[in-house]
Amino acid sequence: MSKTYTVALMCGGDSAEREVSLMSAACVENALISAGHKVSKIDTVNKRYFEELEKLQPDVAFIALHGKGGEDGSLQAILEHMGIPYTGSGVLGSALAMDKHRSKIIYEALGLKTPHSLCFKREHRDTATASAEQVLKSIDLPVVVKPCEDGSSFGISIVKEEAALSTALECAFAYGSAILVERYVSGKEITISVLGNTELSMLPAIEIVPKGEFYDFESKYSQEGSQHIIPARITEKALAEANQAALLAHEGLNCYGVSRTDMIVDDKDVVWVIETNTVPGMTGTSLLPHAAEYKGISNKELYELLIVLALERKQREKKEQEAYAV
């Protein structure tokens, strides 16, 4: 990239993923400044952050804001209203991918395999016992209990015994108004990132081997919390199916710029789609930068590519609007 830009680095916020966002932002800031860009961090914990954006008049907003308020389409809607190009998916794609229940409906419509699940709304919170009974009638243990709209493994539990189910439901409800209970699938956990707007490219599949029982917060962000194996130790058949699933998820959820889809490959080589992230972590231990690095793409090149894709999408949308106006 020969041109330099004024970049509003959107980060922080007040979600459970605030600290992760600040770690991602620090990595992005260092890389972009080293490339000569003017970077201003804007912490959306200040609810009048749009005033900072108006004063800055950035060429582009780089979204390093994970979780609610940054990954769910709300920030994207504000940036759309202000006419500021931004990295990643738009309002619709962000909202759909963030909602694990609705994204699973789309996976199924696309013909992708995803574990059977039940969704419970907040009104079930005071009847955890009744909810637990409903789960046990529909899904065999073990199950995974998690918030529908949160990331970084907050509020997630793997439940193997009936006695632990009600507590797991309460724990997940602490992080949102809706929770998902899905059948636990054992196998190799992999993730595949997709880059691009209309012309899409794949980054190599990463196999994740967590230090603990599953890929929880500590596994994701501590230096020795997990092992990332590239390329993933799966068959060519499973890899082809996983690559196709990542592409279909990216397109079906209306993603742009970048997405990262997490999957499980079971012992029968079946690929199960778990979720898609539209603002993947960009910390020193995050998966997206590791996959890019394996392919020879430095952090600086990766983050600049996301900016290019953001500007490209804005320019294309502008041309489409002008064409409609004629």
Side-chain angles (χ1 to χ4, degrees):
M1 181 186 289
S2 57
K3 187 175 180 180
T4 58
Y5 295 99
T6 297
V7 181
L9 181 54
M10 312 303 296
C11 61
D14 56 5
S15 78
E17 296 187 74
R18 174 178 173 79
E19 294 306 316
V20 179
S21 170
L22 293 174
M23 287 190 288
S24 284
C27 293
V28 173
E29 180 182 30
N30 290 337
L32 292 181
I33 287 176
S34 71
H37 301 286
K38 178 184 176 183
V39 181
S40 295
K41 283 199 292 188
I42 296 180
D43 190 337
T44 63
V45 74
N46 171 15
K47 298 306 179 185
R48 299 185 69 82
Y49 63 83
F50 60 87
E51 294 178 352
E52 295 181 64
L53 284 168
E54 288 177 343
K55 183 178 179 181
L56 181 64
Q57 290 293 302
D59 297 307
V60 64
F62 193 109
I63 299 178
L65 191 64
H66 309 303
K68 296 175 184 176
E71 203 165 350
D72 58 4
S74 55
L75 173 61
Q76 289 78 3
I78 290 173
L79 293 170
E80 289 279 359
H81 179 71
M82 298 181 72
I84 300 172
Y86 55 89
T87 58
S89 296
V91 177
L92 177 61
S94 299
L96 286 174
M98 184 70 174
D99 188 323
K100 295 178 178 66
H101 173 56
R102 286 175 172 79
S103 60
K104 284 171 76 74
I105 293 172
I106 292 174
Y107 297 151
E108 291 173 345
L110 293 169
L112 301 175
K113 291 183 174 64
T114 188
H116 175 58
S117 65
L118 294 174
C119 180
F120 295 95
K121 302 296 185 180
R122 187 177 290 281
E123 53 263 31
H124 296 103
R125 188 171 183 175
D126 295 328
T127 57
T129 300
S131 299
E133 290 174 355
Q134 186 177 346
V135 169
L136 295 170
K137 288 178 182 178
S138 303
I139 310 175
D140 293 331
L141 295 179
V143 295
V144 180
V145 181
K146 54 189 174 184
C148 275
E149 298 184 346
D150 226 320
S152 293
S153 300
F154 288 112
I156 293 185
S157 305
I158 296 178
V159 179
K160 300 177 180 178
E161 300 176 357
E162 291 183 20
L165 186 53
S166 293
T167 301
L169 293 170
E170 292 287 356
C171 177
F173 268 125
Y175 290 92
S177 61
I179 63 173
L180 198 70
V181 182
E182 68 181 9
R183 180 173 68 86
Y184 173 77
V185 177
S186 63
K188 291 181 178 177
E189 185 169 356
I190 67 167
T191 191
I192 296 178
S193 297
V194 178
L195 294 172
N197 293 327
T198 54
E199 297 181 9
L200 304 179
S201 62
M202 316 291 295
L203 291 181
I206 299 180
E207 179 185 346
I208 306 159
V209 183
K211 187 176 182 180
E213 184 179 18
F214 68 101
Y215 197 44
D216 58 9
F217 185 87
E218 183 178 356
S219 297
K220 290 179 178 179
Y221 301 112
S222 64
Q223 285 298 325
E224 298 181 358
S226 63
Q227 183 182 8
H228 298 169
I229 300 173
I230 311 176
R233 298 171 299 180
I234 56 177
T235 65
E236 289 296 323
K237 173 182 175 294
L239 178 60
E241 186 177 332
N243 278 330
Q244 180 68 5
L247 282 171
L248 285 173
H250 183 93
E251 294 177 324
L253 291 170
N254 203 42
C255 296
Y256 291 100
V258 63
S259 71
R260 201 199 75 221
T261 297
D262 301 336
M263 294 164 272
I264 300 290
V265 181
D266 69 18
D267 57 6
K268 295 182 180 179
D269 252 8
V270 177
V271 175
W272 298 88
V273 179
I274 305 301
E275 64 180 79
T276 299
N277 302 276
T278 55
V279 185
M282 298 172 194
T283 72
T285 61
S286 293
L287 295 157
L288 171 64
H290 282 191
E293 182 181 20
Y294 184 85
K295 200 170 180 179
I297 303 171
S298 68
N299 283 359
K300 177 181 75 69
E301 292 168 331
L302 174 63
Y303 304 146
E304 286 192 316
L305 173 59
L306 295 182
I307 288 174
V308 168
L309 291 170
L311 296 171
E312 174 191 281
R313 182 163 68 95
K314 187 67 174 179
Q315 186 62 28
R316 188 182 72 249
E317 290 173 351
K318 182 180 178 181
K319 288 181 179 179
E320 289 173 351
Q321 290 171 357
E322 291 172 348
Y324 289 139
V326 174

